[in-house]
Amino acid sequence: MAQAVVPLLGFNAGVVSVEAASRTDMERMRVAARLQNNMLPRLLGSMAMRPGTAYIGATKSNARAQFIPFVYSVTQKALIELTASKARVWVDDALVTRPSVSTAISNGTFDTDLTGWTDYDEAGATSEWGSAAMKLTGSGTTYARRYQQVTVASGDQNVEHALRIIVGRGPVLLRVGTTAANQTYIRETTLRTGCHSLSFTPSGDFYVVVYSKVDAPRYIDSITVEAAGVVELDTPWGADDLGLVKYDQSADVIYCARSSGQQQRIERRSFRSWSVVDYAPDDGPFGSLNIDGPTLSVSSTTGLATMTASRDYFTSGDVGRLFKMTHNGQTAAANLAAENTFTSAVRVSGISGTGGTRVINLTIEGTWTGTLTLQKAFGEPVGWSDVGTYVGNVTTTIADAADNQIVYYRIGFKTGDYTSDTAEVSLTSPSSVQSGVVRVTGFTSSTSVEVEVLATIGKASEATSDWRAGEWSDRSGWPDSVRLHDGRLFWGMGDRVYGSVSDAYESFDQETEGDSGPIVRSIALGPADGIYWMLSLQRLLVGGVGQEVSVRSSSFDEPLTPTQFSAKRCSSRGGQNIQAQVIDSIGVFVQNNKRRVYELTFSVESQDYVSRDLTRLCPKICYGQVRAFAVQRKPETRLWFVLEDGTIAVMLYERAENVVAWSTIDTDGSFEDVCIMPGSEEDDVYFVVNRTISASTKRYVEKLGKESECVGGTLNKIMDCHWVYSGGSTTNVSGGSHLNGKQVVVWGGGAALRDQSNLGTVSGGVVTVGSAVTSAVAGLPYNGRYTSAKLAYAAKLGTALGQRKRIDHLGLILDKTNWKGLKIGRDFSNLRRMPKMYRGEELADTALLEEYDFDLASFNGGFDPDSRLCVEVQAPYAATVCALAVSMSTNEKPAVADAA
């Protein structure tokens, strides 16, 4: 009989697969686990009963949800809850809600007219009713405006109000003040197409003013005072999109992508004011130059127009799409009705004289009074000098004699030169080339669509074959991923990445010169299932269904530019359509089978990123298939992987210490999502949990307790979906209506008032306890379980594998452990509590053991070829296991040769 004392000095190896169970030659296997459920390993080597979850609230209509973190700073953060077609905002663990006020906006839905709204238009601009909306059409230089004075009753003064504004086609401008001319409550702000909820606190009546100077109509569908209750913003994402919306944040804006529709912006104006709006650049990106398509013509150079194709081309999927077309000849046209307003500039080049091109055509029409001044500038459109003045309508040609120089011309009213009405002016330069941009606003037929002119068309009604279609639309597709990198906003779609103009996230203007220009490049991902994720590390990393690509500018990894762009495959694992995550300089992604997890680290040897399997010692840990994951950094780095089977695989990760330790957690229900927010002491970990309460499906938002709250003491939060009672002394612990009908454990006064041997049932939100308390925690029980790997030790004749062996003595080193909740045995059917005697004294039921270290105690392990040690902790008790030591006996049998 051979004997040995084997130290299990740590538990930060985590769970390993049964396939590796026989590798007792590996030092790592001595501290590995076969099962580690609800017992979280720690970097220093201990393991502890996991914290419980606190009930925060329910998702909208208990529907499936995806949570997006908004983090402006550690103290300024919010959770964005997405359900089908709606978004809600959680701040400080409470939904943003509006108080009840009687204030109302008259005719805020514009069903039939604009009654109640005062015309405040500037000359040349028009505000009117149209298409069941307020329609604002500026002149390009003057504003179309409407306002309403809103009465606030004395009881509603100094109470928060909020305007709910739906913009059908933006952007429009808004201000709210004590008069129509000021902005006391809401300073001038831009409202893009989408849904807005803007709060302010009036001390009396207020004025709502909306306006636009764009020479194409802008539509506001409604402006109302929000009703009392939770703020809900409209979104374009359906139930099938949840979990697949990718995002990245810059300051107060979260940029969102989903291939099912147009990109969105979630905007924070304050923690009480939010918007969800379209991300819709006006200048690109555009695809390749038309080669064999039809010619296109636009009926007007500005404003609204009709675009006509020479043959069948358009579909309804083109609505919202951009088109860029180029004509010989440049036009700058505007309706001028204010001082210090000018047309855009036209460019003159070439030579003068017979056959020359150095001329501009000037047309002035309309009924107006004032003095128009023609100006010019050399080289670039700055530093203007006067050429001549006009006080009436005219059509004329002006010759320019500055041969072989570039000269810009414009015309307008200088300060003090405008009197009244509108001058309709245009400048045309036949020597220039002009590229105009339109956005399709309506589909008429395969040869005709309605458009809004975003950049002036060179010539009206003249067909051109020199055009490019926008890359994004319902017809061509939408990006499926987004990432900020190197001062640009990158979108991924198909096998292409689209980088904005440097430091201009809303611009893809191809006319931007030099290294700041936009980047539109293919990265050749192979299977064209899309770009599932992008990561901003030392390089831009791009993942698709078949491979991972490293994008760099040069061997020195300078910033990406339109010309310095090289995409190389660095891995061929293949990713899943789940947002990848960053840990310092390392990327982590889920493989396309949803079952394996890989890291991407920079290799000095290969001078590129390489992939490494993080599940290689436990390949089945994620066989439940990953649906979402998030990274926690404090108190230690943990990755929380929510699986389709409703459990969570947790990875303790520390690359510098070579720690990759897997464990699992489960609950009375199914985990569906995880979201993590930075915190000061510990990061906040939130879950969406699907629970069955009184035979009904509930989806609760729950927050993981802090480790410091789960070590015994007055309030010990080791129970799930728990609530905290604080109030008068009582035996009826109230506040648990969200768990009606469920059996719970209760902790209060430093002791378990109800444990798993004495569960209480919640009825009417109340659970009774045996002694009166002024504070208590109550929630759903769960068990922490640990099973060691094979303990194949104590063999003198070779390996202990295949030999019958037993654990005969056991030593424990514990910290902050309620002895009553800890059980140990050779399997989970043969568990025993810890001895009640410790150092000659009997332990009280409420005793919390700190720095527990005692002699080896006898242990009935039973002889078995597969001898293991099992540990179980029952909520609501705390337990931290620092180390174990087992004394083993092996009944060795020498090998005997078969008889001849």
Side-chain angles (χ1 to χ4, degrees), residues 84 136 205 221 286 341 393 423 472 477 484 500 514 559 568 582 585 628 633 658 745 766 825 827 850 865:
L136 303 174
D205 294 355
D221 293 345
F286 294 101
T341 58
N393 293 342
W472 304 331
L484 290 155
S500 69
K568 304 291 185 184
V582 171
S585 60
R633 299 310 307 270
N658 197 30
V745 293
V766 174
D827 55 47
E850 299 194 46

Side-chain angles (χ1 to χ4, degrees), residues 347-361:
R347 182 176 181 273
V348 176
S349 60
I351 59 173
S352 59
T354 304
T357 57
R358 301 197 67 88
V359 296
I360 56 173
N361 300 315

Side-chain angles (χ1 to χ4, degrees), residues 59 181 322 373 402 502 545 625 718 770 791 794 824:
T59 65
L322 298 176
T373 300
S502 183
V545 68
Q625 299 194 325
I718 300 181
L791 300 177
I824 301 175

Side-chain angles (χ1 to χ4, degrees), residues 264-399:
Q264 299 291 296
R265 293 165 47 111
I266 300 175
E267 302 174 343
R268 181 198 75 153
R269 298 162 187 274
S270 73
F271 277 113
R272 305 291 298 171
S273 299
W274 296 83
S275 304
V276 178
V277 298
D278 291 347
Y279 171 89
D282 290 341
D283 55 12
F286 294 101
S288 302
L289 184 67
N290 167 54
I291 296 176
D292 57 358
T295 61
L296 301 180
S297 63
V298 179
S299 62
S300 175
T301 60
T302 60
L304 292 184
T306 298
M307 183 163 67
T308 303
S310 60
R311 58 177 173 81
D312 291 345
Y313 176 76
F314 301 119
T315 72
S316 59
D318 285 317
V319 174
R321 194 176 197 179
L322 298 176
F323 285 84
K324 181 177 183 179
M325 53 198 66
T326 302
H327 291 85
N328 291 323
Q330 185 177 4
T331 299
N335 295 328
L336 304 177
E339 65 179 22
N340 198 30
T341 58
F342 288 82
T343 64
S344 57
V346 295
R347 182 176 181 273
V348 176
S349 60
I351 59 173
S352 59
T354 304
T357 57
R358 301 197 67 88
V359 296
I360 56 173
N361 300 315
L362 170 63
T363 301
I364 305 174
E365 298 176 328
T367 301
W368 56 280
T369 304
T371 300
L372 288 166
T373 300
L374 181 69
Q375 296 181 329
K376 69 178 179 180
F378 288 88
E380 54 183 340
V382 295
W384 297 97
S385 60
D386 295 347
V387 175
T389 59
Y390 302 86
V391 295
N393 293 342
V394 67
T395 298
T396 186
T397 298
I398 300 168

Side-chain angles (χ1 to χ4, degrees), residues 587-604:
V588 179
F589 70 95
V590 177
Q591 197 175 28
N592 51 30
N593 61 8
K594 297 186 180 182
R595 295 180 175 183
R596 304 297 282 265
V597 178
Y598 288 86
E599 66 177 357
L600 287 164
T601 59
F602 189 80
S603 167
V604 176

Side-chain angles (χ1 to χ4, degrees), residues 52-55 702 714-726 731-740 742-749 751-755 759-763 765-769 773 775-782 875-876:
T53 63
Y55 171 78
E702 301 179 26
T714 303
L715 294 179
N716 191 39
K717 298 181 179 180
I718 300 181
M719 58 205 76
D720 281 344
C721 203
H722 65 249
W723 78 93
V724 177
Y725 168 80
S726 180
T731 58
N732 294 320
V733 177
S734 59
S737 58
H738 62 285
L739 289 181
N740 277 336
K742 301 294 286 189
Q743 290 189 312
V744 298
V745 293
V746 186
W747 184 278
L753 304 178
R754 283 189 179 275
D755 61 15
L759 293 170
T761 301
V762 180
S763 177
V766 174
V767 59
T768 60
V769 293
V773 291
S775 62
V777 187
L780 299 171
Y782 56 90

Side-chain angles (χ1 to χ4, degrees), residues 67-70 79 247 630 673-677 684-688:
F67 274 76
I68 294 177
F70 173 92
L79 285 171
Y247 53 88
D673 194 35
V674 61
C675 185
I676 296 176
M677 307 275 279
D684 295 324
V685 183
Y686 293 86
F687 303 109
V688 176

